[in-house]
Amino acid sequence: MRRAGMEEAEEGLRIGGRKINNLRYADDTTLVAANITDLQNLIGKVKSSSEEAGLFLNVKKTKIMSTTNLQRFKLGNEELEVVSSFSFLGSTIQENGDCKEDIVKRLALGRAAVVGLDKIWKGKDVRVETKVRLMEALVFPVAMYGAESWTTRKADIKKIEAFENWCWRKMLRISWTEKRTNASIQQQLGITTSLVNRIRRNKLIYFGHIMRSNSLEKDMIVAMGEGQRKRGRPRSRWLDGIEEDTGMSLQELTETTRDRTEWRRKVMMVTRGRMTT
């Protein structure tokens, strides 16, 4: 995603001293505000400015998502749909910041891709090595789309591992009634990097790229936002997963990512040899 042009305005959220009120990519625009009144004003400004240029707001395609218990949202005489999640650039954004829905959706699309290639898996004239490469080129990218932004928990990791093992068994046409362990199947295929580790590696590479830049993405990852969090146990953040995987603090990560060679070595150490048993 390219860096969106942020314009100072009264409406918006302040993160790291910067006021953010919109995120833009091509013809997709996401407006951000701290409260309902600010959001109404912001949408009104976008609507009036667009109409001056001959563009009109499509109310049916405009969705409202709030972290508060919002039931209805009206803009003038028009009522906009309030949702708990929406699709943005192929990824599912949830109001609670969870990634469970997006992970389930991507794995389901991956399973559909495997089923769609069933004739190849059954083909006796196709080498197993070729089938593995096809799985890695045509199926796993579908399941891993947007995975760099996932905040994965133990339950999510188990789902991903179960999906990968299902893919290999489906490819080799191994019945679940056969007494074959996942490790033996991976050894037979010569798999050295699990799907979970592929996702972990992509996240770390993306994190290193962001930390070496001076961008909005970096500010949103490392800076503090305004307001107070709710009572109770805090949710796991995306950055918490990076710190847990590397065993490093944010300060140590900042220093390490500056050296590309050292960061590549660290990523290799973190993701090497961690396979499903």
Side-chain angles (χ1 to χ4, degrees):
M1 179 183 294
R2 67 175 176 85
R3 181 177 177 179
M6 294 296 110
E7 302 175 359
E8 285 295 331
E10 295 181 0
E11 302 85 4
L13 294 176
R14 187 172 296 278
I15 300 178
R18 173 183 292 180
K19 182 142 296 188
I20 300 173
N21 58 20
N22 71 95
L23 299 170
R24 302 194 300 271
Y25 183 85
D27 60 343
D28 287 307
T29 302
T30 302
L31 303 179
V32 184
N35 54 64
I36 302 302
T37 302
D38 286 353
L39 184 58
Q40 288 176 329
N41 294 336
L42 193 56
I43 296 177
K45 290 179 181 179
V46 172
K47 185 174 183 294
S48 59
S49 298
S50 299
E51 290 175 353
E52 292 176 1
L55 303 174
F56 297 91
L57 180 68
N58 190 329
V59 176
K60 293 183 179 180
K61 291 185 177 181
T62 304
K63 312 296 182 184
I64 303 296
M65 190 174 74
S66 173
T67 56
T68 61
N69 189 22
L70 181 65
Q71 300 297 327
R72 300 181 62 186
F73 185 94
K74 296 194 68 175
L75 182 66
N77 296 325
E78 298 176 307
E79 184 167 341
L80 306 184
E81 182 183 2
V82 179
V83 297
S84 59
S85 65
F86 68 95
S87 180
F88 181 69
L89 302 179
S91 295
T92 302
I93 311 299
Q94 295 181 247
E95 62 181 3
N96 59 4
D98 198 358
C99 298
K100 179 180 178 180
E101 185 175 327
D102 194 35
I103 293 174
V104 170
K105 182 185 75 172
R106 298 314 310 183
L107 296 184
L109 292 173
R111 288 178 183 270
V114 172
V115 174
L117 297 170
D118 195 51
K119 288 185 178 180
I120 294 178
W121 312 140
K122 292 180 180 179
K124 296 182 179 180
D125 55 340
V126 182
R127 297 175 58 192
V128 173
E129 293 81 1
T130 303
K131 293 181 180 180
V132 171
R133 296 184 66 179
L134 289 173
M135 183 72 73
E136 294 175 342
L138 302 179
V139 175
F140 288 170
V142 174
M144 292 169 57
Y145 177 84
E148 293 85 353
S149 64
W150 290 350
T151 301
T152 52
R153 299 181 175 85
K154 291 182 179 180
D156 301 321
I157 291 176
K158 288 182 178 180
K159 286 186 176 69
I160 297 171
E161 290 175 342
F163 164 76
E164 181 186 10
N165 292 324
W166 176 84
C167 288
W168 297 134
R169 290 175 182 270
K170 185 74 173 178
M171 187 191 76
L172 294 175
R173 306 192 60 172
I174 297 175
S175 172
W176 290 104
T177 59
E178 296 184 37
K179 296 181 179 181
R180 291 288 306 275
T181 63
N182 297 326
S184 67
I185 294 174
Q186 293 168 355
Q187 185 176 6
Q188 175 186 342
L189 297 175
I191 305 301
T192 58
T193 304
S194 67
L195 186 59
V196 171
N197 267 354
R198 292 171 190 264
I199 294 173
R200 184 180 286 115
R201 180 182 60 197
N202 290 349
K203 289 174 66 175
L204 292 175
I205 292 174
Y206 174 69
F207 175 76
H209 171 72
I210 292 300
M211 293 300 290
R212 287 189 294 270
S213 66
N214 183 20
S215 62
L216 171 64
E217 290 90 342
K218 181 178 179 179
D219 291 343
M220 296 182 71
I221 289 174
V222 303
M224 296 294 293
E226 60 184 0
Q228 298 179 344
R229 70 173 181 84
K230 297 180 180 179
R231 294 179 60 184
R233 182 179 180 180
R235 289 183 174 274
S236 297
R237 303 174 302 164
W238 185 83
L239 185 58
D240 293 335
I242 300 295
E243 293 177 343
E244 182 180 351
D245 288 338
T246 59
M248 303 170 69
S249 65
L250 179 57
Q251 182 178 356
E252 292 172 329
L253 287 168
T254 303
E255 296 175 354
T256 306
T257 52
R258 291 172 183 169
D259 187 335
R260 292 176 182 268
T261 303
E262 177 63 21
W263 182 244
R264 281 196 292 266
R265 187 184 69 83
K266 183 66 176 179
V267 172
M268 185 178 299
M269 289 178 58
V270 169
T271 59
R272 183 175 56 191
R274 299 171 64 171
M275 295 296 296
T276 304
T277 58

